[in-house]
Amino acid sequence: MPLLHRCMWLALLGVVGVISAEIMARIDDAVRSGTPLLASPSYTDLTMQDSLGTRGRPFARFEKWKLNGAGFRGQEVALAPEPECVRVVVMGASETFGYAESPGKEYPAQLADSLKRTGCYEVINTAITGLPTTGQIQLWENWVSRFEPSVVVIYASPAFYLSNEPPEFHAPKRGGATTPSASFAPRLVTRLKDRIDYPDFIQRRRVMRKIASAIRGKPVTWVYREVPDDRIALFRLHLDSLVTSVRAKGAVPVLVTHAMRFGASMNQEDQDLLRAWRQFSPRATEAVLMDFERRAAGTVRDEARDRNVPLVDVAGVMTGHTRWFADPIHFNDTGAGVIAGTIARTVERIPASASSVASRAQRSGVSHASLVNSNAGPRSIVRARPVKLANRSDPR
């Protein structure tokens, strides 16, 4: 009996300890980020679906991420831009929204800092985590274009096109918007996952098991052994549609090639990260993942040339520079500064007349090209610790 009582007391103390730790985690969240004590926030609460499609949830917050009243990351923004000020919209997925960077260090925020040194620019980060180019097109047409940008920077993520099924256009949700998750979720578990680093050999085994589970029972041809041409063609088709839609609203599109951590030579850490990256696109081998990124960068260059669109070749500048990445595709603070400065140099070269023409085109409803043709003038570092992908959900 004494042994039984001792075990019961130990179990009770363990329960009390866990409950106390959960309460302390919630108090800490309330103090640091204003999260209500009884809330069960989730990363998915940052987005919603309504009649406009998938977009950021106004005033949503989760951990370090906070959205404004328009559902964008950053300060509050009015529908109409300030007079004589160039409004720049940045579109993309998690690489643009900000994932591994410190708050305020995501590249659209650093782009705003770079541009304000040379003139009046307003940068709006409209990126949505996990949203492929098809969703970006709908987001632009139904919501972002209402904010009348003069310049639209497009950082498209190729990896979506290696998913089991290719990206599609989804019908907008009828009725009210989706509501945040109300189910209880212990925050202590999330904190432990974020802070516990499993040994490398355990990480490798977990990743390999997940990949093996995904391809089990599939025919041999299901796995891509070389870059699928149809997926590259679809990537370009969707990118071209977004460029066309942006121009139709009178704005100047700027295309940005997609950068990745991996270069010609790779160490063990790179190989582990590459294999971990594959768990989100199990149809593609590790070699195909990297080849697809390179082919996609070439596709963006071709699209920019054929459509006479300003190009920012970030892949040419950053790919292979591991010190600028926190994982295969997400930037650390230093890397975000590099891409911000690279984009800023291109945006600054867009003639002011083109920006004003774009703004007038949006208000009048005529095309950017027709207004240009009717006007004289121009026509024209500390290394961050890599994110352990085996402990994360799909970061795209």
Side-chain angles (χ1 to χ4, degrees):
M1 290 299 291
L3 179 61
L4 178 62
H5 287 170
R6 189 177 297 111
C7 291
M8 291 177 63
W9 274 109
L10 289 175
L12 180 60
L13 288 174
V15 171
V16 171
V18 170
I19 293 175
S20 300
E22 176 69 21
I23 293 173
M24 292 303 298
R26 290 174 178 264
I27 292 175
D28 184 61
D29 287 343
V31 172
R32 290 176 179 269
S33 60
T35 305
L37 287 174
L38 300 180
S40 295
S42 166
Y43 195 77
T44 59
D45 294 341
L46 295 173
T47 60
M48 70 177 190
Q49 293 180 338
D50 60 7
S51 59
L52 300 178
T54 302
R55 61 192 181 105
R57 186 182 303 279
F59 304 114
R61 61 194 311 165
F62 176 70
E63 295 183 358
K64 65 181 179 182
W65 298 280
K66 299 178 183 179
L67 305 186
N68 60 26
F72 305 142
R73 190 173 184 188
Q75 297 179 346
E76 293 298 329
V77 59
L79 275 175
E82 292 291 332
E84 306 302 323
C85 195
V86 179
R87 174 168 280 182
V88 180
V89 153
V90 188
M91 302 194 70
S94 58
E95 307 96 313
T96 301
F97 181 79
Y99 180 68
E101 306 93 332
S102 307
K105 293 297 184 179
E106 62 276 7
Y107 84 78
Q110 297 200 53
L111 174 63
D113 291 338
S114 297
L115 289 174
K116 71 181 182 182
R117 300 168 188 165
T118 60
C120 183
Y121 289 90
E122 180 186 20
V123 177
I124 305 178
N125 182 356
T126 68
I128 302 293
T129 297
L131 200 63
T133 311
T134 49
Q136 299 293 336
I137 294 170
Q138 293 175 305
L139 181 68
W140 163 257
E141 293 179 344
N142 297 334
W143 182 236
V144 175
S145 61
R146 300 184 186 188
F147 291 83
E148 302 181 4
S150 299
V151 178
V152 178
V153 177
I154 302 169
Y155 190 62
S157 303
F160 290 115
Y161 291 82
L162 286 175
S163 299
N164 295 351
E165 300 297 330
E168 298 178 345
F169 292 95
H170 298 288
K173 178 182 174 62
R174 295 184 177 182
T178 54
T179 57
S181 173
S183 58
F184 176 80
R187 298 188 207 169
L188 181 61
V189 174
T190 301
R191 292 203 171 195
L192 290 175
K193 286 182 178 180
D194 288 342
R195 286 164 173 77
I196 294 176
D197 283 335
Y198 294 99
D200 289 342
F201 75 94
I202 294 181
Q203 294 266 22
R204 296 186 189 111
R205 291 183 60 183
R206 294 178 65 196
V207 168
M208 293 305 296
R209 282 201 302 266
K210 187 170 183 178
I211 295 173
S213 176
I215 65 178
R216 187 177 298 118
K218 302 291 193 302
V220 175
T221 55
W222 187 80
V223 177
Y224 293 129
R225 306 294 176 181
E226 58 185 25
V227 173
D229 291 335
D230 60 329
R231 295 294 182 93
I232 282 287
L234 189 63
F235 173 69
R236 171 137 191 199
L237 176 65
H238 292 160
L239 190 64
D240 186 73
S241 296
L242 183 52
V243 167
T244 299
S245 185
V246 168
R247 279 182 163 169
K249 296 292 186 179
V252 180
V254 175
L255 291 179
V256 185
T257 57
H258 194 266
M260 63 175 173
R261 171 191 179 99
F262 310 112
S265 61
M266 298 173 57
N267 57 26
Q268 184 62 55
E269 181 183 12
D270 290 331
Q271 292 174 3
D272 289 343
L273 282 172
L274 178 58
R275 188 171 295 109
W277 190 25
R278 187 192 170 186
Q279 66 185 312
F280 307 119
S281 303
R283 289 196 69 174
T285 64
E286 288 88 341
V288 169
L289 274 171
M290 293 197 298
D291 288 344
F292 195 89
E293 284 281 329
R294 299 186 187 102
R295 284 276 300 275
T299 297
V300 174
R301 296 181 189 109
D302 293 342
E303 174 71 11
R305 181 193 65 243
D306 295 344
R307 297 298 302 274
N308 194 25
V309 171
L311 173 71
V312 185
D313 194 0
V314 168
V317 173
M318 300 187 67
T319 289
H321 292 270
T322 59
R323 66 185 183 279
W324 291 335
F325 293 86
D327 64 22
I329 57 175
H330 295 101
F331 309 108
N332 56 30
D333 290 358
T334 305
V338 174
I339 182 176
T342 307
I343 294 173
R345 288 189 286 274
T346 295
V347 172
E348 290 166 351
R349 290 198 295 267
I350 296 176
S353 59
S355 299
S356 61
V357 163
S359 180
R360 293 193 342 255
Q362 290 176 335
R363 290 181 172 83
S364 64
V366 300
S367 70
H368 177 208
S370 63
L371 278 176
V372 170
N373 291 335
S374 65
N375 287 272
R379 293 176 179 268
S380 338
I381 309 196
V382 174
R383 182 176 179 183
R385 190 168 135 195
V387 175
K388 295 290 187 179
L389 291 185
N391 292 340
R392 293 282 187 172
S393 57
D394 189 342
R396 293 176 296 186

